[in-house]
């Protein structure tokens, strides 16, 4: 069983801190990493410049994307930008990539928000290309979605053969791709086609199905399993916090949130029980946390990182 690992997901620093100071604070709190999402709507920082700045401000903190939207960029540009950040950070990058889920991003960019099978097909072509671009001197490729003629991606990454790749999703096809190609498989609740949350996807039962599906596909492959904690509240009044999360989830049943592995609610002692149960049941050991309770959760993250 793998040891616990915790990263913070944030796209802007909290009030009162600039981005480099925030990165240093995350490192000082004992978290293993800092990761950014990838949206063109909203006020979040652009991932690669922000990761380079975080790398320059820290010494041990791993940095990454959770996750880069494959539709926005050509694989050659992704390979070059990622390798550059890996060099700048002296080998601390983890590249998370997915098929995208927020239709407003695509509409803002003026590109089609294709049906999920098309977006996953593009991702399935891009991921092996990234590996080739990182490891080969020149790449020629003629595929359905991408064409490269003697492509050279720039600096070779420090990490060999390449930075760890995380592929995340909730549907069968993208999880099959992750199980085949990724070093880290992220299992997250799937969304509806327009990006709206599907409440049933957050349930304990759905998580059992999704993680069992991935483990069945992995066979003997030894990869790290990951998930994003969508709601985290450190509190001595767990029932009240669960009720508030249920209200914010537009009427999701409180009992679903109470059992869901995608939420962490309660005292640190109660959260410890939840996380140990989640690792034991699903095999997931790498958690991304976010929100206002990152500081108060940090002592537990440090403790569990040793287990």
């Amino acid at each position: 069983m793998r040891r616990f690992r915790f990263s913070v997901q944030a796209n802007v620093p909290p009030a009162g801190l600039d981005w480099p100071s925030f990165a240093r604070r995350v490192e000082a709190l004992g978290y293993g990493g800092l990761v950014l999402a990838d949206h063109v709507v909203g006020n979040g920082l652009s991932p690669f410049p922000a990761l380079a700045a975080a790398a320059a401000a820290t010494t041990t903190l791993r940095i990454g994307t959770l996750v880069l939207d494959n539709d926005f960029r050509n694989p050659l540009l992704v390979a070059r930008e990622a390798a550059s950040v890996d060099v700048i950070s002296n080998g601390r990058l983890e590249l998370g990539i997915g098929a995208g889920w927020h239709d407003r991003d695509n509409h803002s960019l003026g590109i089609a928000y294709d049906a999920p099978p098309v977006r996953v097909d593009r991702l399935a072509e891009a991921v092996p290309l990234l590996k080739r671009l990182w490891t080969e001197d020149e790449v020629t490729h003629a595929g359905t979605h991408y064409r490269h003629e003697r492509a050279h991606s720039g600096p070779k990454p420090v990490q060999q053969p390449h930075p760890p790749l995380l592929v995340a999703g909730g549907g069968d096809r993208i999880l099959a791709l992750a199980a085949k190609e990724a070093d880290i498989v992220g299992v997250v609740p799937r969304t509806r086609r327009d990006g709206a949350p599907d409440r049933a996807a957050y349930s304990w039962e759905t998580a059992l199905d999704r993680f069992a599906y991935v483990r069945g596909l992995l066979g003997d492959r030894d990869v790290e399993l990951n998930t994003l904690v969508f709601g985290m509240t450190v509190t001595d009044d767990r029932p009240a916090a669960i009720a508030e999360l249920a209200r914010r989830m537009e009427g999701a049943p409180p009992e679903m949130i109470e059992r869901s592995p995608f939420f962490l609610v309660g005292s640190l002692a109660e959260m410890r029980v939840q996380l140990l149960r989640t690792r034991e049941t699903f095999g997931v050991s790498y958690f991304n946390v976010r929100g206002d309770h990152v500081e108060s959760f940090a002592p537990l993250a440090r403790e569990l990182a040793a287990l």
Side-chain angles (χ1 to χ4, degrees), residues 37-41 47 67-75 77-78 97-109 111-113 122 146:
D38 184 27
H39 298 289
V40 294
V41 296
V67 290
L68 210 64
D69 191 321
N70 180 66
D71 271 8
F72 298 171
R73 302 170 183 85
N74 185 282
L77 297 179
V78 174
I97 192 165
W101 61 270
H102 199 340
D103 59 346
R104 280 194 60 203
D105 283 327
N106 291 57
H107 298 157
S108 296
L109 288 164
I111 60 177
Y113 184 68
R122 258 196 301 273
Y146 305 107

PDB file of all heavy atoms in Angstrom, residues 37-41 47 67-75 77-78 97-109 111-113 122 146:
ATOM      1  N   ALA A  37      -5.481  24.180 -11.665  1.00  0.00           N
ATOM      2  CA  ALA A  37      -6.428  23.806 -12.717  1.00  0.00           C
ATOM      3  C   ALA A  37      -6.140  24.647 -13.960  1.00  0.00           C
ATOM      4  O   ALA A  37      -5.233  25.488 -13.978  1.00  0.00           O
ATOM      5  CB  ALA A  37      -7.857  24.013 -12.230  1.00  0.00           C
ATOM      6  N   ASP A  38      -6.915  24.430 -15.018  1.00  0.00           N
ATOM      7  CA  ASP A  38      -6.650  25.077 -16.300  1.00  0.00           C
ATOM      8  C   ASP A  38      -7.964  25.544 -16.912  1.00  0.00           C
ATOM      9  O   ASP A  38      -8.639  24.782 -17.599  1.00  0.00           O
ATOM     10  CB  ASP A  38      -5.946  24.082 -17.229  1.00  0.00           C
ATOM     11  CG  ASP A  38      -5.531  24.691 -18.561  1.00  0.00           C
ATOM     12  OD1 ASP A  38      -5.302  25.913 -18.601  1.00  0.00           O
ATOM     13  OD2 ASP A  38      -5.405  23.935 -19.544  1.00  0.00           O
ATOM     14  N   HIS A  39      -8.329  26.797 -16.623  1.00  0.00           N
ATOM     15  CA  HIS A  39      -9.549  27.381 -17.184  1.00  0.00           C
ATOM     16  C   HIS A  39      -9.241  28.772 -17.709  1.00  0.00           C
ATOM     17  O   HIS A  39      -8.461  29.517 -17.099  1.00  0.00           O
ATOM     18  CB  HIS A  39     -10.651  27.479 -16.122  1.00  0.00           C
ATOM     19  CG  HIS A  39     -11.079  26.145 -15.584  1.00  0.00           C
ATOM     20  ND1 HIS A  39     -11.806  25.235 -16.325  1.00  0.00           N
ATOM     21  CD2 HIS A  39     -10.873  25.557 -14.374  1.00  0.00           C
ATOM     22  CE1 HIS A  39     -12.025  24.155 -15.595  1.00  0.00           C
ATOM     23  NE2 HIS A  39     -11.467  24.324 -14.409  1.00  0.00           N
ATOM     24  N   VAL A  40      -9.874  29.129 -18.817  1.00  0.00           N
ATOM     25  CA  VAL A  40      -9.710  30.491 -19.326  1.00  0.00           C
ATOM     26  C   VAL A  40     -10.825  31.399 -18.829  1.00  0.00           C
ATOM     27  O   VAL A  40     -10.746  32.621 -18.991  1.00  0.00           O
ATOM     28  CB  VAL A  40      -9.643  30.527 -20.869  1.00  0.00           C
ATOM     29  CG1 VAL A  40      -8.384  29.823 -21.344  1.00  0.00           C
ATOM     30  CG2 VAL A  40     -10.881  29.916 -21.504  1.00  0.00           C
ATOM     31  N   VAL A  41     -11.875  30.837 -18.242  1.00  0.00           N
ATOM     32  CA  VAL A  41     -12.886  31.652 -17.585  1.00  0.00           C
ATOM     33  C   VAL A  41     -12.506  31.770 -16.111  1.00  0.00           C
ATOM     34  O   VAL A  41     -11.867  30.894 -15.543  1.00  0.00           O
ATOM     35  CB  VAL A  41     -14.298  31.046 -17.740  1.00  0.00           C
ATOM     36  CG1 VAL A  41     -14.705  31.031 -19.199  1.00  0.00           C
ATOM     37  CG2 VAL A  41     -14.368  29.647 -17.154  1.00  0.00           C
ATOM     38  N   PRO A  47      -1.431  28.297 -15.907  1.00  0.00           N
ATOM     39  CA  PRO A  47      -0.687  27.270 -15.172  1.00  0.00           C
ATOM     40  C   PRO A  47       0.833  27.323 -15.300  1.00  0.00           C
ATOM     41  O   PRO A  47       1.543  27.334 -14.282  1.00  0.00           O
ATOM     42  CB  PRO A  47      -1.241  25.954 -15.743  1.00  0.00           C
ATOM     43  CG  PRO A  47      -2.607  26.288 -16.213  1.00  0.00           C
ATOM     44  CD  PRO A  47      -2.519  27.708 -16.712  1.00  0.00           C
ATOM     45  N   VAL A  67      -6.384  19.700 -13.828  1.00  0.00           N
ATOM     46  CA  VAL A  67      -5.529  19.153 -14.870  1.00  0.00           C
ATOM     47  C   VAL A  67      -5.519  20.124 -16.045  1.00  0.00           C
ATOM     48  O   VAL A  67      -6.409  20.954 -16.194  1.00  0.00           O
ATOM     49  CB  VAL A  67      -6.020  17.766 -15.371  1.00  0.00           C
ATOM     50  CG1 VAL A  67      -5.818  16.700 -14.342  1.00  0.00           C
ATOM     51  CG2 VAL A  67      -7.471  17.822 -15.853  1.00  0.00           C
ATOM     52  N   LEU A  68      -4.487  19.983 -16.879  1.00  0.00           N
ATOM     53  CA  LEU A  68      -4.403  20.747 -18.107  1.00  0.00           C
ATOM     54  C   LEU A  68      -5.510  20.287 -19.052  1.00  0.00           C
ATOM     55  O   LEU A  68      -5.777  19.091 -19.165  1.00  0.00           O
ATOM     56  CB  LEU A  68      -3.040  20.498 -18.744  1.00  0.00           C
ATOM     57  CG  LEU A  68      -2.404  21.601 -19.573  1.00  0.00           C
ATOM     58  CD1 LEU A  68      -2.091  22.805 -18.701  1.00  0.00           C
ATOM     59  CD2 LEU A  68      -1.132  21.076 -20.228  1.00  0.00           C
ATOM     60  N   ASP A  69      -6.150  21.232 -19.743  1.00  0.00           N
ATOM     61  CA  ASP A  69      -7.182  20.891 -20.725  1.00  0.00           C
ATOM     62  C   ASP A  69      -6.512  20.624 -22.064  1.00  0.00           C
ATOM     63  O   ASP A  69      -5.956  21.520 -22.692  1.00  0.00           O
ATOM     64  CB  ASP A  69      -8.195  22.025 -20.850  1.00  0.00           C
ATOM     65  CG  ASP A  69      -9.426  21.616 -21.649  1.00  0.00           C
ATOM     66  OD1 ASP A  69      -9.276  20.890 -22.658  1.00  0.00           O
ATOM     67  OD2 ASP A  69     -10.542  22.032 -21.283  1.00  0.00           O
ATOM     68  N   ASN A  70      -6.569  19.389 -22.503  1.00  0.00           N
ATOM     69  CA  ASN A  70      -5.886  18.994 -23.737  1.00  0.00           C
ATOM     70  C   ASN A  70      -6.371  19.758 -24.964  1.00  0.00           C
ATOM     71  O   ASN A  70      -5.591  20.003 -25.890  1.00  0.00           O
ATOM     72  CB  ASN A  70      -6.068  17.485 -23.961  1.00  0.00           C
ATOM     73  CG  ASN A  70      -5.383  17.003 -25.221  1.00  0.00           C
ATOM     74  OD1 ASN A  70      -4.160  17.042 -25.308  1.00  0.00           O
ATOM     75  ND2 ASN A  70      -6.144  16.572 -26.198  1.00  0.00           N
ATOM     76  N   ASP A  71      -7.634  20.153 -24.983  1.00  0.00           N
ATOM     77  CA  ASP A  71      -8.186  20.817 -26.166  1.00  0.00           C
ATOM     78  C   ASP A  71      -7.537  22.166 -26.451  1.00  0.00           C
ATOM     79  O   ASP A  71      -7.604  22.654 -27.580  1.00  0.00           O
ATOM     80  CB  ASP A  71      -9.690  21.027 -26.005  1.00  0.00           C
ATOM     81  CG  ASP A  71     -10.503  19.847 -26.520  1.00  0.00           C
ATOM     82  OD1 ASP A  71      -9.889  18.818 -26.860  1.00  0.00           O
ATOM     83  OD2 ASP A  71     -11.737  19.945 -26.561  1.00  0.00           O
ATOM     84  N   PHE A  72      -6.953  22.796 -25.442  1.00  0.00           N
ATOM     85  CA  PHE A  72      -6.472  24.170 -25.603  1.00  0.00           C
ATOM     86  C   PHE A  72      -5.149  24.263 -26.352  1.00  0.00           C
ATOM     87  O   PHE A  72      -4.803  25.326 -26.849  1.00  0.00           O
ATOM     88  CB  PHE A  72      -6.262  24.841 -24.232  1.00  0.00           C
ATOM     89  CG  PHE A  72      -7.485  24.973 -23.393  1.00  0.00           C
ATOM     90  CD1 PHE A  72      -7.375  25.390 -22.077  1.00  0.00           C
ATOM     91  CD2 PHE A  72      -8.748  24.692 -23.889  1.00  0.00           C
ATOM     92  CE1 PHE A  72      -8.496  25.529 -21.272  1.00  0.00           C
ATOM     93  CE2 PHE A  72      -9.872  24.820 -23.093  1.00  0.00           C
ATOM     94  CZ  PHE A  72      -9.745  25.243 -21.786  1.00  0.00           C
ATOM     95  N   ARG A  73      -4.361  23.187 -26.384  1.00  0.00           N
ATOM     96  CA  ARG A  73      -2.971  23.306 -26.817  1.00  0.00           C
ATOM     97  C   ARG A  73      -2.548  22.128 -27.692  1.00  0.00           C
ATOM     98  O   ARG A  73      -2.987  21.002 -27.509  1.00  0.00           O
ATOM     99  CB  ARG A  73      -2.026  23.361 -25.602  1.00  0.00           C
ATOM    100  CG  ARG A  73      -2.322  24.487 -24.641  1.00  0.00           C
ATOM    101  CD  ARG A  73      -1.510  24.327 -23.369  1.00  0.00           C
ATOM    102  NE  ARG A  73      -1.824  25.355 -22.396  1.00  0.00           N
ATOM    103  CZ  ARG A  73      -2.835  25.284 -21.547  1.00  0.00           C
ATOM    104  NH1 ARG A  73      -3.632  24.223 -21.547  1.00  0.00           N
ATOM    105  NH2 ARG A  73      -3.061  26.267 -20.697  1.00  0.00           N
ATOM    106  N   ASN A  74      -1.629  22.397 -28.584  1.00  0.00           N
ATOM    107  CA  ASN A  74      -0.994  21.358 -29.373  1.00  0.00           C
ATOM    108  C   ASN A  74      -0.023  20.559 -28.497  1.00  0.00           C
ATOM    109  O   ASN A  74       0.667  21.137 -27.656  1.00  0.00           O
ATOM    110  CB  ASN A  74      -0.241  22.029 -30.533  1.00  0.00           C
ATOM    111  CG  ASN A  74       0.364  21.029 -31.480  1.00  0.00           C
ATOM    112  OD1 ASN A  74       1.393  20.451 -31.200  1.00  0.00           O
ATOM    113  ND2 ASN A  74      -0.279  20.844 -32.617  1.00  0.00           N
ATOM    114  N   PRO A  75       0.061  19.242 -28.674  1.00  0.00           N
ATOM    115  CA  PRO A  75       0.970  18.449 -27.828  1.00  0.00           C
ATOM    116  C   PRO A  75       2.419  18.918 -27.864  1.00  0.00           C
ATOM    117  O   PRO A  75       3.127  18.816 -26.851  1.00  0.00           O
ATOM    118  CB  PRO A  75       0.836  17.033 -28.405  1.00  0.00           C
ATOM    119  CG  PRO A  75      -0.529  17.002 -29.014  1.00  0.00           C
ATOM    120  CD  PRO A  75      -0.764  18.388 -29.543  1.00  0.00           C
ATOM    121  N   LEU A  77       3.489  21.992 -28.043  1.00  0.00           N
ATOM    122  CA  LEU A  77       3.617  23.126 -27.132  1.00  0.00           C
ATOM    123  C   LEU A  77       3.524  22.671 -25.684  1.00  0.00           C
ATOM    124  O   LEU A  77       4.239  23.185 -24.818  1.00  0.00           O
ATOM    125  CB  LEU A  77       2.549  24.170 -27.439  1.00  0.00           C
ATOM    126  CG  LEU A  77       2.632  24.815 -28.823  1.00  0.00           C
ATOM    127  CD1 LEU A  77       1.506  25.825 -29.010  1.00  0.00           C
ATOM    128  CD2 LEU A  77       3.984  25.489 -29.028  1.00  0.00           C
ATOM    129  N   VAL A  78       2.654  21.717 -25.400  1.00  0.00           N
ATOM    130  CA  VAL A  78       2.556  21.182 -24.037  1.00  0.00           C
ATOM    131  C   VAL A  78       3.873  20.538 -23.631  1.00  0.00           C
ATOM    132  O   VAL A  78       4.385  20.764 -22.527  1.00  0.00           O
ATOM    133  CB  VAL A  78       1.403  20.161 -23.929  1.00  0.00           C
ATOM    134  CG1 VAL A  78       1.414  19.493 -22.548  1.00  0.00           C
ATOM    135  CG2 VAL A  78       0.060  20.834 -24.165  1.00  0.00           C
ATOM    136  N   ILE A  97      -3.318  15.895 -17.044  1.00  0.00           N
ATOM    137  CA  ILE A  97      -3.989  16.298 -18.272  1.00  0.00           C
ATOM    138  C   ILE A  97      -5.308  15.552 -18.403  1.00  0.00           C
ATOM    139  O   ILE A  97      -5.437  14.406 -17.979  1.00  0.00           O
ATOM    140  CB  ILE A  97      -3.067  16.043 -19.494  1.00  0.00           C
ATOM    141  CG1 ILE A  97      -3.614  16.712 -20.755  1.00  0.00           C
ATOM    142  CG2 ILE A  97      -2.790  14.561 -19.698  1.00  0.00           C
ATOM    143  CD1 ILE A  97      -2.613  16.806 -21.883  1.00  0.00           C
ATOM    144  N   GLY A  98      -6.311  16.243 -18.963  1.00  0.00           N
ATOM    145  CA  GLY A  98      -7.622  15.636 -19.133  1.00  0.00           C
ATOM    146  C   GLY A  98      -8.270  16.123 -20.414  1.00  0.00           C
ATOM    147  O   GLY A  98      -7.699  16.915 -21.173  1.00  0.00           O
ATOM    148  N   ALA A  99      -9.491  15.656 -20.648  1.00  0.00           N
ATOM    149  CA  ALA A  99     -10.201  15.963 -21.884  1.00  0.00           C
ATOM    150  C   ALA A  99     -11.042  17.226 -21.803  1.00  0.00           C
ATOM    151  O   ALA A  99     -11.670  17.619 -22.780  1.00  0.00           O
ATOM    152  CB  ALA A  99     -11.094  14.780 -22.274  1.00  0.00           C
ATOM    153  N   GLY A 100     -11.049  17.891 -20.640  1.00  0.00           N
ATOM    154  CA  GLY A 100     -11.856  19.101 -20.480  1.00  0.00           C
ATOM    155  C   GLY A 100     -13.281  18.764 -20.078  1.00  0.00           C
ATOM    156  O   GLY A 100     -13.795  17.688 -20.380  1.00  0.00           O
ATOM    157  N   TRP A 101     -13.903  19.730 -19.385  1.00  0.00           N
ATOM    158  CA  TRP A 101     -15.271  19.479 -18.931  1.00  0.00           C
ATOM    159  C   TRP A 101     -16.127  20.748 -18.899  1.00  0.00           C
ATOM    160  O   TRP A 101     -17.347  20.669 -18.794  1.00  0.00           O
ATOM    161  CB  TRP A 101     -15.264  18.865 -17.524  1.00  0.00           C
ATOM    162  CG  TRP A 101     -14.640  19.754 -16.487  1.00  0.00           C
ATOM    163  CD1 TRP A 101     -13.341  19.777 -16.129  1.00  0.00           C
ATOM    164  CD2 TRP A 101     -15.295  20.751 -15.682  1.00  0.00           C
ATOM    165  NE1 TRP A 101     -13.113  20.721 -15.154  1.00  0.00           N
ATOM    166  CE2 TRP A 101     -14.295  21.342 -14.851  1.00  0.00           C
ATOM    167  CE3 TRP A 101     -16.608  21.206 -15.579  1.00  0.00           C
ATOM    168  CZ2 TRP A 101     -14.583  22.354 -13.949  1.00  0.00           C
ATOM    169  CZ3 TRP A 101     -16.881  22.220 -14.673  1.00  0.00           C
ATOM    170  CH2 TRP A 101     -15.884  22.771 -13.866  1.00  0.00           C
ATOM    171  N   HIS A 102     -15.524  21.922 -19.026  1.00  0.00           N
ATOM    172  CA  HIS A 102     -16.242  23.172 -18.843  1.00  0.00           C
ATOM    173  C   HIS A 102     -16.507  23.792 -20.216  1.00  0.00           C
ATOM    174  O   HIS A 102     -15.599  24.328 -20.855  1.00  0.00           O
ATOM    175  CB  HIS A 102     -15.413  24.122 -17.979  1.00  0.00           C
ATOM    176  CG  HIS A 102     -16.203  25.238 -17.356  1.00  0.00           C
ATOM    177  ND1 HIS A 102     -17.428  25.649 -17.824  1.00  0.00           N
ATOM    178  CD2 HIS A 102     -15.936  26.046 -16.295  1.00  0.00           C
ATOM    179  CE1 HIS A 102     -17.880  26.642 -17.087  1.00  0.00           C
ATOM    180  NE2 HIS A 102     -16.987  26.900 -16.148  1.00  0.00           N
ATOM    181  N   ASP A 103     -17.750  23.726 -20.689  1.00  0.00           N
ATOM    182  CA  ASP A 103     -18.041  24.184 -22.048  1.00  0.00           C
ATOM    183  C   ASP A 103     -17.747  25.665 -22.244  1.00  0.00           C
ATOM    184  O   ASP A 103     -17.374  26.099 -23.341  1.00  0.00           O
ATOM    185  CB  ASP A 103     -19.486  23.863 -22.428  1.00  0.00           C
ATOM    186  CG  ASP A 103     -20.530  24.486 -21.502  1.00  0.00           C
ATOM    187  OD1 ASP A 103     -20.159  24.950 -20.405  1.00  0.00           O
ATOM    188  OD2 ASP A 103     -21.714  24.492 -21.877  1.00  0.00           O
ATOM    189  N   ARG A 104     -17.851  26.470 -21.176  1.00  0.00           N
ATOM    190  CA  ARG A 104     -17.582  27.907 -21.322  1.00  0.00           C
ATOM    191  C   ARG A 104     -16.134  28.190 -21.701  1.00  0.00           C
ATOM    192  O   ARG A 104     -15.849  29.192 -22.376  1.00  0.00           O
ATOM    193  CB  ARG A 104     -17.934  28.655 -20.035  1.00  0.00           C
ATOM    194  CG  ARG A 104     -19.422  28.952 -19.865  1.00  0.00           C
ATOM    195  CD  ARG A 104     -19.624  29.970 -18.759  1.00  0.00           C
ATOM    196  NE  ARG A 104     -18.963  31.229 -19.028  1.00  0.00           N
ATOM    197  CZ  ARG A 104     -18.604  32.102 -18.075  1.00  0.00           C
ATOM    198  NH1 ARG A 104     -18.834  31.823 -16.804  1.00  0.00           N
ATOM    199  NH2 ARG A 104     -18.013  33.243 -18.399  1.00  0.00           N
ATOM    200  N   ASP A 105     -15.217  27.346 -21.266  1.00  0.00           N
ATOM    201  CA  ASP A 105     -13.826  27.516 -21.678  1.00  0.00           C
ATOM    202  C   ASP A 105     -13.708  27.450 -23.194  1.00  0.00           C
ATOM    203  O   ASP A 105     -13.095  28.313 -23.830  1.00  0.00           O
ATOM    204  CB  ASP A 105     -12.946  26.428 -21.054  1.00  0.00           C
ATOM    205  CG  ASP A 105     -12.621  26.672 -19.588  1.00  0.00           C
ATOM    206  OD1 ASP A 105     -12.496  27.848 -19.198  1.00  0.00           O
ATOM    207  OD2 ASP A 105     -12.494  25.702 -18.846  1.00  0.00           O
ATOM    208  N   ASN A 106     -14.275  26.403 -23.770  1.00  0.00           N
ATOM    209  CA  ASN A 106     -14.182  26.232 -25.220  1.00  0.00           C
ATOM    210  C   ASN A 106     -14.893  27.349 -25.960  1.00  0.00           C
ATOM    211  O   ASN A 106     -14.392  27.878 -26.956  1.00  0.00           O
ATOM    212  CB  ASN A 106     -14.759  24.880 -25.620  1.00  0.00           C
ATOM    213  CG  ASN A 106     -13.906  23.712 -25.145  1.00  0.00           C
ATOM    214  OD1 ASN A 106     -13.656  23.578 -23.945  1.00  0.00           O
ATOM    215  ND2 ASN A 106     -13.453  22.884 -26.065  1.00  0.00           N
ATOM    216  N   HIS A 107     -16.082  27.726 -25.469  1.00  0.00           N
ATOM    217  CA  HIS A 107     -16.827  28.794 -26.128  1.00  0.00           C
ATOM    218  C   HIS A 107     -16.064  30.114 -26.048  1.00  0.00           C
ATOM    219  O   HIS A 107     -16.066  30.899 -27.007  1.00  0.00           O
ATOM    220  CB  HIS A 107     -18.210  28.936 -25.496  1.00  0.00           C
ATOM    221  CG  HIS A 107     -19.055  27.707 -25.651  1.00  0.00           C
ATOM    222  ND1 HIS A 107     -20.113  27.416 -24.812  1.00  0.00           N
ATOM    223  CD2 HIS A 107     -18.997  26.678 -26.532  1.00  0.00           C
ATOM    224  CE1 HIS A 107     -20.661  26.270 -25.175  1.00  0.00           C
ATOM    225  NE2 HIS A 107     -20.004  25.805 -26.217  1.00  0.00           N
ATOM    226  N   SER A 108     -15.404  30.365 -24.938  1.00  0.00           N
ATOM    227  CA  SER A 108     -14.609  31.587 -24.801  1.00  0.00           C
ATOM    228  C   SER A 108     -13.460  31.621 -25.800  1.00  0.00           C
ATOM    229  O   SER A 108     -13.094  32.673 -26.319  1.00  0.00           O
ATOM    230  CB  SER A 108     -14.047  31.709 -23.381  1.00  0.00           C
ATOM    231  OG  SER A 108     -15.082  31.839 -22.429  1.00  0.00           O
ATOM    232  N   LEU A 109     -12.883  30.457 -26.061  1.00  0.00           N
ATOM    233  CA  LEU A 109     -11.762  30.359 -26.989  1.00  0.00           C
ATOM    234  C   LEU A 109     -12.213  30.298 -28.451  1.00  0.00           C
ATOM    235  O   LEU A 109     -11.380  30.387 -29.359  1.00  0.00           O
ATOM    236  CB  LEU A 109     -10.928  29.118 -26.665  1.00  0.00           C
ATOM    237  CG  LEU A 109     -10.084  29.204 -25.389  1.00  0.00           C
ATOM    238  CD1 LEU A 109      -9.619  27.816 -24.971  1.00  0.00           C
ATOM    239  CD2 LEU A 109      -8.889  30.111 -25.605  1.00  0.00           C
ATOM    240  N   ILE A 111     -13.545  27.615 -29.836  1.00  0.00           N
ATOM    241  CA  ILE A 111     -13.309  26.282 -30.378  1.00  0.00           C
ATOM    242  C   ILE A 111     -14.479  25.389 -29.985  1.00  0.00           C
ATOM    243  O   ILE A 111     -15.167  25.621 -28.987  1.00  0.00           O
ATOM    244  CB  ILE A 111     -11.983  25.681 -29.887  1.00  0.00           C
ATOM    245  CG1 ILE A 111     -11.957  25.567 -28.351  1.00  0.00           C
ATOM    246  CG2 ILE A 111     -10.807  26.511 -30.383  1.00  0.00           C
ATOM    247  CD1 ILE A 111     -10.685  24.910 -27.809  1.00  0.00           C
ATOM    248  N   ALA A 112     -14.696  24.370 -30.771  1.00  0.00           N
ATOM    249  CA  ALA A 112     -15.844  23.491 -30.558  1.00  0.00           C
ATOM    250  C   ALA A 112     -15.712  22.739 -29.230  1.00  0.00           C
ATOM    251  O   ALA A 112     -14.613  22.315 -28.852  1.00  0.00           O
ATOM    252  CB  ALA A 112     -15.963  22.494 -31.704  1.00  0.00           C
ATOM    253  N   TYR A 113     -16.847  22.620 -28.543  1.00  0.00           N
ATOM    254  CA  TYR A 113     -16.908  21.758 -27.362  1.00  0.00           C
ATOM    255  C   TYR A 113     -17.511  20.439 -27.846  1.00  0.00           C
ATOM    256  O   TYR A 113     -18.717  20.227 -27.825  1.00  0.00           O
ATOM    257  CB  TYR A 113     -17.752  22.393 -26.273  1.00  0.00           C
ATOM    258  CG  TYR A 113     -17.800  21.612 -24.977  1.00  0.00           C
ATOM    259  CD1 TYR A 113     -16.665  21.490 -24.184  1.00  0.00           C
ATOM    260  CD2 TYR A 113     -18.968  20.997 -24.539  1.00  0.00           C
ATOM    261  CE1 TYR A 113     -16.692  20.779 -22.998  1.00  0.00           C
ATOM    262  CE2 TYR A 113     -19.014  20.288 -23.349  1.00  0.00           C
ATOM    263  CZ  TYR A 113     -17.874  20.178 -22.582  1.00  0.00           C
ATOM    264  OH  TYR A 113     -17.898  19.466 -21.399  1.00  0.00           O
ATOM    265  N   ARG A 122      -9.042  12.657 -28.802  1.00  0.00           N
ATOM    266  CA  ARG A 122      -7.935  13.602 -28.966  1.00  0.00           C
ATOM    267  C   ARG A 122      -6.895  13.406 -27.868  1.00  0.00           C
ATOM    268  O   ARG A 122      -5.687  13.420 -28.109  1.00  0.00           O
ATOM    269  CB  ARG A 122      -8.448  15.049 -28.950  1.00  0.00           C
ATOM    270  CG  ARG A 122      -8.537  15.686 -30.319  1.00  0.00           C
ATOM    271  CD  ARG A 122      -8.671  17.183 -30.227  1.00  0.00           C
ATOM    272  NE  ARG A 122      -9.826  17.627 -29.491  1.00  0.00           N
ATOM    273  CZ  ARG A 122     -11.040  17.815 -30.018  1.00  0.00           C
ATOM    274  NH1 ARG A 122     -11.263  17.585 -31.295  1.00  0.00           N
ATOM    275  NH2 ARG A 122     -12.036  18.233 -29.264  1.00  0.00           N
ATOM    276  N   TYR A 146      -3.703  15.196 -34.861  1.00  0.00           N
ATOM    277  CA  TYR A 146      -2.436  15.923 -34.825  1.00  0.00           C
ATOM    278  C   TYR A 146      -1.503  15.420 -35.917  1.00  0.00           C
ATOM    279  O   TYR A 146      -1.487  14.221 -36.245  1.00  0.00           O
ATOM    280  CB  TYR A 146      -1.751  15.750 -33.454  1.00  0.00           C
ATOM    281  CG  TYR A 146      -2.622  16.154 -32.293  1.00  0.00           C
ATOM    282  CD1 TYR A 146      -3.181  15.188 -31.451  1.00  0.00           C
ATOM    283  CD2 TYR A 146      -2.914  17.496 -32.045  1.00  0.00           C
ATOM    284  CE1 TYR A 146      -3.995  15.557 -30.385  1.00  0.00           C
ATOM    285  CE2 TYR A 146      -3.724  17.870 -30.987  1.00  0.00           C
ATOM    286  CZ  TYR A 146      -4.263  16.897 -30.166  1.00  0.00           C
ATOM    287  OH  TYR A 146      -5.077  17.261 -29.122  1.00  0.00           O
TER     288      TYR A 146
END
